[in-house]
Amino acid sequence: MNPQKKYHAFLGLAPPAGLIPKWRALMATAPKSTARLQPWYRLHLTLHFWGAVTRSDFFELLSHLRRWKGSAATPESQICGVDVFTRHSILYFRETSRDILHLHDLAQKFIVSLPDYLHGEVRKEFTPHWTIARKFHRETYPQLSEFFLTLENFRHSGRTPAIELYFSEGGTYEAHPLKYFQQSRV
């Protein structure tokens, strides 16, 4: 392994209680399309993204983040329908929880206190979301109209079990828990 090779890292939330079984059932009804559905085991909500970290930087980042107190309260997720990032062709569940917006703000304040090279990408806008599909284009709407209506009406709420630091290498995700909010993962 090349120690200087750059990878992606994500500070994120694990799926809220009960979402994965609902997600699996919903995806079982998905019609064939050109969209690439996100596998359920990659489902997470990104609070912060690092586009280029070495493996050693990742473990240093993990060490810093494990000292972060975060939030004492368990964030409540409130998923309400879907939307699309047209620039990146991503279909996602809309997250509307104020708890998660607050947790994002706390994370940004902590990340600014890290050494400069560990700040990662700072975005002006934060849209909390759970990615459903990639390579999703509006032209696929007619093929997916009935399924899309099901997605638009999708609602789910539940407590998020953990904050995790994800390491992504070639499409494989490793989740490193920073803090568990409750015992159960699903």
Side-chain angles (χ1 to χ4, degrees):
M1 173 162 54
N2 178 352
Q4 298 307 311
K5 188 172 177 184
K6 304 284 184 169
Y7 302 96
H8 294 166
F10 310 85
L11 177 63
L13 294 175
L19 181 60
I20 289 178
K22 280 175 85 171
W23 169 248
R24 284 180 178 156
L26 187 62
M27 290 302 106
T29 68
K32 299 275 186 225
S33 81
T34 57
R36 194 175 71 203
L37 296 176
Q38 180 85 337
W40 65 268
Y41 53 84
R42 285 192 189 172
L43 200 57
H44 70 279
L45 185 143
T46 300
L47 295 170
H48 193 79
F49 175 71
W50 288 267
V53 294
T54 64
R55 189 58 119 146
S56 62
D57 289 345
F58 175 82
F59 285 111
E60 184 179 346
L61 182 60
L62 183 60
S63 175
H64 283 287
L65 287 170
R66 284 201 167 133
R67 289 193 288 266
W68 176 48
K69 300 296 182 223
S71 173
T74 304
E76 175 79 21
S77 169
Q78 295 290 329
I79 293 171
C80 182
V82 295
D83 209 342
V84 177
F85 291 127
T86 53
R87 181 172 170 225
H88 299 290
S89 305
I90 293 174
L91 176 69
Y92 62 89
F93 284 131
R94 280 190 304 256
E95 177 61 62
T96 61
S97 169
R98 291 197 185 279
D99 288 355
I100 290 174
L101 290 171
H102 178 68
L103 187 59
H104 170 262
D105 291 344
L106 291 174
Q108 296 312 300
K109 288 176 184 167
F110 181 79
I111 289 164
V112 169
S113 74
L114 298 176
D116 287 347
Y117 70 98
L118 292 178
H119 283 182
E121 293 184 14
V122 177
R123 296 189 174 127
K124 291 182 180 182
E125 295 180 17
F126 172 62
T127 304
H129 66 280
W130 304 89
T131 299
I132 299 170
R134 297 177 184 281
K135 310 278 188 222
F136 186 88
H137 302 283
R138 292 200 185 272
E139 303 84 62
T140 63
Y141 283 12
Q143 319 165 221
L144 297 172
S145 60
E146 191 173 316
F147 182 64
F148 193 76
L149 185 58
T150 302
L151 290 173
E152 187 57 43
N153 292 319
F154 186 85
R155 305 285 182 270
H156 182 76
S157 62
R159 299 282 178 186
T160 55
I163 295 176
E164 299 176 324
L165 185 61
Y166 296 87
F167 182 78
S168 173
E169 179 183 357
T172 302
Y173 284 41
E174 293 174 16
H176 297 261
L178 302 175
K179 179 178 182 177
Y180 284 104
F181 293 114
Q182 57 191 39
Q183 298 298 317
S184 159
R185 264 301 276 189
V186 177

